[in-house]
Amino acid sequence: AAGANDELVVDVQMWVEDQEGNTDYCKTVVIVQDNQDICPDGVQKGRITGDLVTEKGDETELANVQMYVGAQMMREVITKQDGHFMFGDLAFGATTEYMVRPLRNDNHVNGVSTADIVKIQRHILGIEYLNSPYKIIAADVNNSQNITASDVTEIRKLILGVSSEFAKVQSWTFVPKEYVFPNPSVPYNAPREVLIAMPNASTHDEDFVAVKMGDVTGNAVAHNVKGSSTRTNEKLNLEIESGNLVAGESYTVEFKSSNFSDIIGYQFTLNFDQTAMMFDKVGGGALELDETNFGLSRLEEGKITTSWNNRTGVSFGKDEVLFSITFTALKNGSIHELLAVTSDVTFAEAYNSKLEERGVELGIRTDDGIVGSGVFELYQNTPNPFDVETVVNFRLPKASPAKLSIYDVTGKVIRVYDLQGVKGMNSIRITKDDVDVSGVLYYQLDAADHTATKRMTKLK
């Protein structure tokens, strides 16, 4: 066996082969080190190891752990699902010192919802303080070393899809686990790295607490395993009156609820048929809200996002108007086929005063009772372009037969799928064996008296 201080460099050729049998290679080297100090002979060296774990104990993957000597980064490693990192074969000496810093900056909206805004606003108002220094750090998304309404604004923009990431902070930050906060209510100056002196050949365990910025409820997914849901079977039922749009006329949709009881917040995406109606304005009602509670950056896609919360749970009767949205009709149509509550951008959920989570549904009030709403929508296939397979999603206002046709640029039909669509979201998987041509193709959906066409590309 090689000594613990030995480093074996092996020249290798890395080969790849595609589906058509074409091959190619590049030359590189593999460096073999005894990071576990298994080999008995040789001079022993130092080691730094640790775990990145959230406050509630979830291991954190996809973090980039960097090791520096002075100002120069010497090594880095990406954590896997176990959240573990290790740097081995480290030189030591009386003045030798290493600095370790973890970083992670992906999926800023992970774990962030209107429920977090509720808790942060209650903290600001002194109703209920955040109960740990890590939650206080998580709430300071504008990096001002204070928690203010500006943090709430930043978080709401993220939830509504107005922004895709926080402007002043990365999505995660990491505090050394051994760090003791002098004042846990003012934790902002906590270090984000650790300095390790290495005077001799020893192992140093340096764990970090992983903090997901914006998430004070602790439901961010730290590693690629789906967490359990705490959602109840109850739903917040939003309702609008049935009606017909007349082309060229203005139509105000008033949103009411038959069970708006002890609700402290909600959020959802409102899909509308942008070919039949054009957004005009939002209006308040029993709820104190304005345009800052709505995301209007995707109107061309027929999507409006919304997020509302209150300092305490509130209740309203079934005939009280919560809020309204005014549209201009572009063509005639029935309102129940033109609107739907979805989770396409902002996830549809509501919370009572205990922050117990429930879904949100939209119904239409008619003389015969409450009926469901829905929109017709054909989505872009994913992935696109594709080579092996792709998925086409579409939404129907009601269950009905549907036909999906694929044809080339000359109009020649390549494949036709006859489907029995269900109300709401539908999916169909298209494989390379289904489509025996490549290049630019078109797919057309015919269902529920609607037609829509999009373009896709199949690779050779």
Side-chain angles (χ1 to χ4, degrees):
N5 65 330
D6 290 344
E7 184 175 85
L8 179 63
V9 180
V10 182
D11 294 316
V12 297
Q13 294 180 353
M14 182 176 293
W15 287 80
V16 295
E17 181 176 355
D18 64 18
Q19 294 178 334
E20 305 299 327
N22 300 308
T23 59
D24 201 355
Y25 73 94
C26 66
K27 294 181 179 180
T28 185
V29 297
V30 173
I31 300 175
V32 182
Q33 297 175 323
D34 180 26
N35 290 335
Q36 302 294 332
D37 292 338
I38 295 174
C39 298
D41 56 329
V43 179
Q44 192 179 21
K45 291 195 173 184
R47 185 193 314 173
I48 301 172
T49 185
D51 294 293
L52 311 182
V53 182
T54 66
E55 187 177 11
K56 69 175 185 177
D58 290 342
E59 299 88 357
T60 308
E61 70 172 333
L62 300 177
N64 180 15
V65 186
Q66 301 174 343
M67 185 189 72
Y68 288 76
V69 175
Q72 183 178 3
M73 186 178 70
M74 304 300 294
R75 298 186 200 171
E76 59 183 343
V77 63
I78 307 298
T79 58
K80 295 182 171 57
Q81 284 192 5
D82 61 3
H84 185 71
F85 70 89
M86 193 271 289
F87 299 108
D89 291 326
L90 301 179
F92 58 90
T95 61
T96 302
E97 188 176 61
Y98 297 94
M99 190 267 281
V100 174
R101 175 191 297 144
L103 302 168
R104 181 176 173 182
N105 193 34
D106 67 311
N107 192 16
H108 284 230
V109 78
N110 176 14
V112 180
S113 72
T114 305
D116 296 293
I117 291 180
V118 170
K119 291 186 73 68
I120 292 171
Q121 283 194 332
R122 288 173 65 85
H123 175 90
I124 293 172
L125 296 170
I127 298 172
E128 180 186 5
Y129 290 111
L130 297 172
N131 61 6
S132 83
Y134 305 110
K135 291 184 176 69
I136 294 173
I137 289 173
D140 183 26
V141 297
N142 67 354
N143 200 27
S144 66
Q145 300 198 349
N146 198 6
I147 301 177
T148 67
S150 296
D151 295 298
V152 172
T153 299
E154 287 290 312
I155 293 173
R156 196 173 320 263
K157 286 180 179 179
L158 187 73
I159 293 168
L160 294 175
V162 175
S163 58
S164 60
E165 59 183 33
F166 295 123
K168 301 293 181 63
V169 296
Q170 294 197 342
S171 61
W172 292 78
T173 193
F174 300 85
V175 178
K177 187 176 181 180
E178 295 301 316
Y179 177 74
V180 178
F181 294 91
N183 183 355
S185 65
V186 187
Y188 310 105
N189 291 324
R192 303 304 199 269
E193 67 277 326
V194 64
L195 290 173
I196 301 113
M198 190 73 68
N200 49 48
S202 56
T203 296
H204 293 259
D205 293 319
E206 301 290 347
D207 297 336
F208 288 80
V209 177
V211 179
K212 174 64 186 64
M213 298 303 293
D215 173 29
V216 299
T217 56
N219 56 359
V221 177
H223 52 253
N224 193 22
V225 176
K226 292 183 179 179
S228 59
S229 174
T230 58
R231 174 171 295 189
T232 69
N233 292 327
E234 299 180 38
K235 294 184 182 298
L236 172 62
N237 297 319
L238 297 178
E239 291 134 15
I240 59 178
E241 302 291 340
S242 62
N244 295 313
L245 272 65
V246 178
E249 294 187 0
S250 178
Y251 190 95
T252 297
V253 183
E254 295 181 336
F255 290 78
K256 305 175 183 179
S257 174
S258 57
N259 65 344
F260 204 95
S261 177
D262 191 34
I263 301 298
I264 201 169
Y266 65 70
Q267 62 177 55
F268 57 86
T269 306
L270 181 70
N271 287 30
F272 66 95
D273 187 339
Q274 70 273 32
T275 68
M277 54 204 307
M278 180 175 63
F279 171 82
D280 184 9
K281 62 182 179 179
V282 297
L287 303 181
E288 296 180 5
L289 48 72
D290 54 32
E291 282 206 357
T292 62
N293 295 97
F294 293 85
L296 306 175
S297 61
R298 305 196 185 206
L299 294 177
E300 292 184 356
E301 303 173 33
K303 301 181 195 300
I304 298 171
T305 55
T306 184
S307 164
W308 167 88
N309 65 281
N310 196 58
R311 67 185 67 183
T312 58
V314 293
S315 304
F316 296 105
K318 65 182 182 64
D319 293 322
E320 293 189 70
V321 177
L322 303 175
F323 65 93
S324 66
I325 302 179
T326 302
F327 297 91
T328 297
L330 303 178
K331 61 183 181 182
N332 298 344
S334 299
I335 193 68
H336 72 275
E337 293 185 355
L338 303 177
L339 294 173
V341 165
T342 75
S343 297
D344 289 353
V345 181
T346 300
F347 206 83
E349 56 190 37
Y351 327 93
N352 63 14
S353 61
K354 297 179 181 179
L355 286 185
E356 294 172 330
E357 183 182 315
R358 63 195 64 190
V360 181
E361 286 189 349
L362 180 63
I364 310 295
R365 294 183 180 181
T366 69
D367 293 338
D368 298 324
I370 306 296
V371 299
S373 65
V375 292
F376 174 90
E377 194 162 9
L378 176 63
Y379 295 91
Q380 185 65 52
N381 64 300
T382 56
N384 185 50
F386 76 99
D387 52 0
V388 179
E389 64 180 25
T390 189
V391 175
V392 171
N393 293 319
F394 58 93
R395 190 181 296 277
L396 298 180
K398 58 185 177 182
S400 67
K403 182 172 72 172
L404 184 71
S405 305
I406 300 176
Y407 53 93
D408 62 18
V409 293
T410 69
K412 178 184 176 182
V413 176
I414 306 300
R415 181 71 185 261
V416 175
Y417 300 87
D418 289 311
L419 311 166
Q420 182 57 49
V422 299
K423 179 184 174 181
M425 188 65 76
N426 294 259
S427 297
I428 180 170
R429 189 175 300 276
I430 299 171
T431 69
K432 64 177 182 177
D433 296 329
D434 296 338
V435 181
D436 58 1
V437 296
S438 58
V440 175
L441 302 170
Y442 293 87
Y443 57 100
Q444 176 176 308
L445 177 67
D446 296 281
D449 300 323
H450 291 78
T451 297
T453 303
K454 288 190 179 293
R455 185 170 68 176
M456 66 182 176
T457 302
K458 181 178 182 293
L459 301 176
K460 293 183 179 181

